[in-house]
Short mmCIF file of all heavy atoms in Angstrom, two decimals:
data_model
loop_
_atom_site.label_atom_id
_atom_site.label_comp_id
_atom_site.label_asym_id
_atom_site.label_seq_id
_atom_site.Cartn_x
_atom_site.Cartn_y
_atom_site.Cartn_z
N VAL A 1 0.83 -1.20 0.00
CA VAL A 1 0.00 0.00 0.00
C VAL A 1 0.86 1.25 0.00
O VAL A 1 0.61 2.21 -0.76
CB VAL A 1 -0.94 -0.01 1.22
CG1 VAL A 1 -1.66 1.34 1.36
CG2 VAL A 1 -1.97 -1.13 1.10
N ILE A 2 1.91 1.28 0.82
CA ILE A 2 2.78 2.45 0.87
C ILE A 2 3.49 2.65 -0.47
O ILE A 2 3.57 3.78 -0.98
CB ILE A 2 3.80 2.31 2.02
CG1 ILE A 2 3.10 2.34 3.38
CG2 ILE A 2 4.84 3.43 1.95
CD1 ILE A 2 4.02 2.12 4.56
N SER A 3 3.99 1.59 -1.04
CA SER A 3 4.73 1.70 -2.31
C SER A 3 3.84 2.20 -3.43
O SER A 3 4.20 3.14 -4.16
CB SER A 3 5.35 0.34 -2.68
OG SER A 3 6.26 -0.09 -1.69
N ILE A 4 2.66 1.59 -3.58
CA ILE A 4 1.74 2.01 -4.64
C ILE A 4 1.29 3.45 -4.42
O ILE A 4 1.26 4.26 -5.36
CB ILE A 4 0.53 1.06 -4.70
CG1 ILE A 4 0.96 -0.34 -5.13
CG2 ILE A 4 -0.53 1.60 -5.66
CD1 ILE A 4 -0.14 -1.37 -5.05
N SER A 5 0.97 3.80 -3.19
CA SER A 5 0.50 5.15 -2.89
C SER A 5 1.59 6.19 -3.16
O SER A 5 1.33 7.26 -3.70
CB SER A 5 0.05 5.24 -1.43
OG SER A 5 -1.03 4.35 -1.18
N ASN A 6 2.82 5.88 -2.77
CA ASN A 6 3.91 6.82 -3.00
C ASN A 6 4.20 7.03 -4.48
O ASN A 6 4.49 8.15 -4.91
CB ASN A 6 5.18 6.34 -2.29
CG ASN A 6 5.10 6.50 -0.78
OD1 ASN A 6 4.17 7.10 -0.26
ND2 ASN A 6 6.08 5.96 -0.08
N ILE A 7 4.13 5.97 -5.26
CA ILE A 7 4.34 6.10 -6.70
C ILE A 7 3.28 7.00 -7.32
O ILE A 7 3.58 7.92 -8.10
CB ILE A 7 4.33 4.71 -7.37
CG1 ILE A 7 5.56 3.90 -6.94
CG2 ILE A 7 4.30 4.84 -8.89
CD1 ILE A 7 5.55 2.46 -7.38
N ILE A 8 2.02 6.76 -6.97
CA ILE A 8 0.93 7.59 -7.50
C ILE A 8 1.07 9.02 -7.02
O ILE A 8 0.86 9.99 -7.79
CB ILE A 8 -0.43 7.00 -7.08
CG1 ILE A 8 -0.63 5.62 -7.71
CG2 ILE A 8 -1.57 7.93 -7.48
CD1 ILE A 8 -1.89 4.91 -7.24
N LEU A 9 1.44 9.21 -5.75
CA LEU A 9 1.58 10.55 -5.19
C LEU A 9 2.64 11.36 -5.92
O LEU A 9 2.41 12.52 -6.29
CB LEU A 9 1.91 10.44 -3.70
CG LEU A 9 2.22 11.75 -2.95
CD1 LEU A 9 1.02 12.68 -3.01
CD2 LEU A 9 2.62 11.46 -1.51
N VAL A 10 3.80 10.77 -6.13
CA VAL A 10 4.89 11.49 -6.79
C VAL A 10 4.54 11.80 -8.24
O VAL A 10 4.76 12.93 -8.72
CB VAL A 10 6.19 10.67 -6.71
CG1 VAL A 10 7.29 11.31 -7.55
CG2 VAL A 10 6.65 10.54 -5.27
N LEU A 11 3.97 10.84 -8.96
CA LEU A 11 3.63 11.07 -10.36
C LEU A 11 2.51 12.10 -10.51
O LEU A 11 2.55 12.96 -11.41
CB LEU A 11 3.22 9.74 -11.02
CG LEU A 11 4.33 8.70 -11.17
CD1 LEU A 11 3.79 7.43 -11.82
CD2 LEU A 11 5.49 9.26 -11.98
N ALA A 12 1.50 12.05 -9.63
CA ALA A 12 0.41 13.03 -9.70
C ALA A 12 0.92 14.43 -9.38
O ALA A 12 0.51 15.41 -10.02
CB ALA A 12 -0.71 12.63 -8.74
N THR A 13 1.80 14.53 -8.38
CA THR A 13 2.39 15.84 -8.05
C THR A 13 3.22 16.37 -9.20
O THR A 13 3.15 17.56 -9.54
CB THR A 13 3.25 15.72 -6.79
OG1 THR A 13 2.48 15.17 -5.72
CG2 THR A 13 3.78 17.08 -6.37
N PHE A 14 4.02 15.50 -9.80
CA PHE A 14 4.83 15.89 -10.95
C PHE A 14 3.94 16.39 -12.09
O PHE A 14 4.23 17.44 -12.71
CB PHE A 14 5.67 14.70 -11.41
CG PHE A 14 6.42 14.93 -12.69
CD1 PHE A 14 7.58 15.67 -12.70
CD2 PHE A 14 5.96 14.39 -13.88
CE1 PHE A 14 8.28 15.89 -13.88
CE2 PHE A 14 6.66 14.59 -15.06
CZ PHE A 14 7.82 15.34 -15.06
N SER A 15 2.87 15.69 -12.39
CA SER A 15 1.96 16.09 -13.46
C SER A 15 1.29 17.43 -13.14
O SER A 15 1.18 18.30 -14.01
CB SER A 15 0.90 15.01 -13.67
OG SER A 15 -0.02 15.39 -14.67
N LEU A 16 0.87 17.62 -11.89
CA LEU A 16 0.22 18.87 -11.49
C LEU A 16 1.18 20.05 -11.59
O LEU A 16 0.83 21.11 -12.12
CB LEU A 16 -0.32 18.74 -10.07
CG LEU A 16 -0.96 20.01 -9.47
CD1 LEU A 16 -2.22 20.37 -10.22
CD2 LEU A 16 -1.26 19.80 -7.99
N VAL A 17 2.38 19.87 -11.09
CA VAL A 17 3.37 20.97 -11.10
C VAL A 17 3.74 21.35 -12.52
O VAL A 17 3.85 22.54 -12.86
CB VAL A 17 4.61 20.56 -10.28
CG1 VAL A 17 5.74 21.57 -10.48
CG2 VAL A 17 4.27 20.46 -8.81
N MET A 18 3.92 20.37 -13.39
CA MET A 18 4.24 20.67 -14.78
C MET A 18 3.08 21.37 -15.47
O MET A 18 3.28 22.28 -16.29
CB MET A 18 4.61 19.39 -15.52
CG MET A 18 5.96 18.80 -15.12
SD MET A 18 7.32 19.97 -15.28
CE MET A 18 7.24 20.38 -17.02
N GLY A 19 1.85 20.97 -15.14
CA GLY A 19 0.69 21.63 -15.73
C GLY A 19 0.58 23.08 -15.31
O GLY A 19 0.28 23.96 -16.13
N VAL A 20 0.87 23.37 -14.04
CA VAL A 20 0.83 24.75 -13.55
C VAL A 20 1.97 25.56 -14.15
O VAL A 20 1.81 26.74 -14.46
CB VAL A 20 0.90 24.77 -12.01
CG1 VAL A 20 1.05 26.19 -11.48
CG2 VAL A 20 -0.33 24.12 -11.41
N PHE A 21 3.13 24.94 -14.33
CA PHE A 21 4.26 25.64 -14.92
C PHE A 21 3.97 26.04 -16.37
O PHE A 21 4.30 27.14 -16.80
CB PHE A 21 5.51 24.77 -14.85
CG PHE A 21 6.70 25.36 -15.54
CD1 PHE A 21 7.44 26.37 -14.94
CD2 PHE A 21 7.09 24.90 -16.79
CE1 PHE A 21 8.53 26.92 -15.59
CE2 PHE A 21 8.19 25.45 -17.44
CZ PHE A 21 8.91 26.45 -16.84
N LEU A 22 3.36 25.14 -17.13
CA LEU A 22 3.05 25.43 -18.52
C LEU A 22 1.89 26.41 -18.67
O LEU A 22 1.83 27.16 -19.64
CB LEU A 22 2.73 24.12 -19.26
CG LEU A 22 3.89 23.11 -19.36
CD1 LEU A 22 3.41 21.82 -20.00
CD2 LEU A 22 5.05 23.71 -20.15
N ASN A 23 0.96 26.41 -17.70
CA ASN A 23 -0.18 27.32 -17.75
C ASN A 23 -0.45 27.85 -16.35
O ASN A 23 -1.25 27.27 -15.60
CB ASN A 23 -1.42 26.61 -18.31
CG ASN A 23 -2.61 27.55 -18.43
OD1 ASN A 23 -2.47 28.77 -18.35
ND2 ASN A 23 -3.80 26.98 -18.63
N PRO A 24 0.21 28.95 -15.93
CA PRO A 24 0.04 29.47 -14.57
C PRO A 24 -1.40 29.85 -14.23
O PRO A 24 -1.75 29.91 -13.05
CB PRO A 24 0.95 30.71 -14.54
CG PRO A 24 1.94 30.47 -15.64
CD PRO A 24 1.19 29.72 -16.68
N GLN A 25 -2.23 30.12 -15.23
CA GLN A 25 -3.62 30.52 -14.98
C GLN A 25 -4.59 29.34 -15.00
O GLN A 25 -5.80 29.55 -15.06
CB GLN A 25 -4.07 31.55 -16.03
CG GLN A 25 -3.42 32.92 -15.86
CD GLN A 25 -4.01 33.94 -16.82
OE1 GLN A 25 -4.13 33.68 -18.01
NE2 GLN A 25 -4.39 35.08 -16.30
N ILE A 26 -4.06 28.14 -14.89
CA ILE A 26 -4.92 26.96 -14.98
C ILE A 26 -5.92 26.91 -13.83
O ILE A 26 -7.00 26.34 -13.94
CB ILE A 26 -4.07 25.68 -15.03
CG1 ILE A 26 -4.92 24.51 -15.53
CG2 ILE A 26 -3.45 25.38 -13.68
CD1 ILE A 26 -4.10 23.28 -15.86
N TRP A 27 -5.56 27.53 -12.65
CA TRP A 27 -6.47 27.54 -11.51
C TRP A 27 -7.65 28.47 -11.74
O TRP A 27 -8.64 28.41 -11.00
CB TRP A 27 -5.73 27.98 -10.24
CG TRP A 27 -4.62 27.08 -9.85
CD1 TRP A 27 -3.29 27.36 -9.87
CD2 TRP A 27 -4.72 25.74 -9.37
NE1 TRP A 27 -2.55 26.28 -9.44
CE2 TRP A 27 -3.41 25.27 -9.12
CE3 TRP A 27 -5.80 24.88 -9.12
CZ2 TRP A 27 -3.15 23.99 -8.64
CZ3 TRP A 27 -5.53 23.60 -8.64
CH2 TRP A 27 -4.22 23.17 -8.41
#
């Protein structure tokens, strides 16, 4: 559970941060 959750957490955070970087007004 910890391993799967951490993998999803890091990848989702990476995707979110890159999306905000490419479009700062996405919020």
Side-chain angles (χ1 to χ4, degrees):
V1 171
I2 294 176
S3 299
I4 294 173
S5 299
N6 287 353
I7 292 172
I8 296 174
L9 175 60
V10 173
L11 293 180
T13 305
F14 173 78
S15 178
L16 177 66
V17 170
M18 289 305 301
V20 173
F21 175 77
L22 296 175
N23 182 14
Q25 289 186 312
I26 197 169
W27 299 112

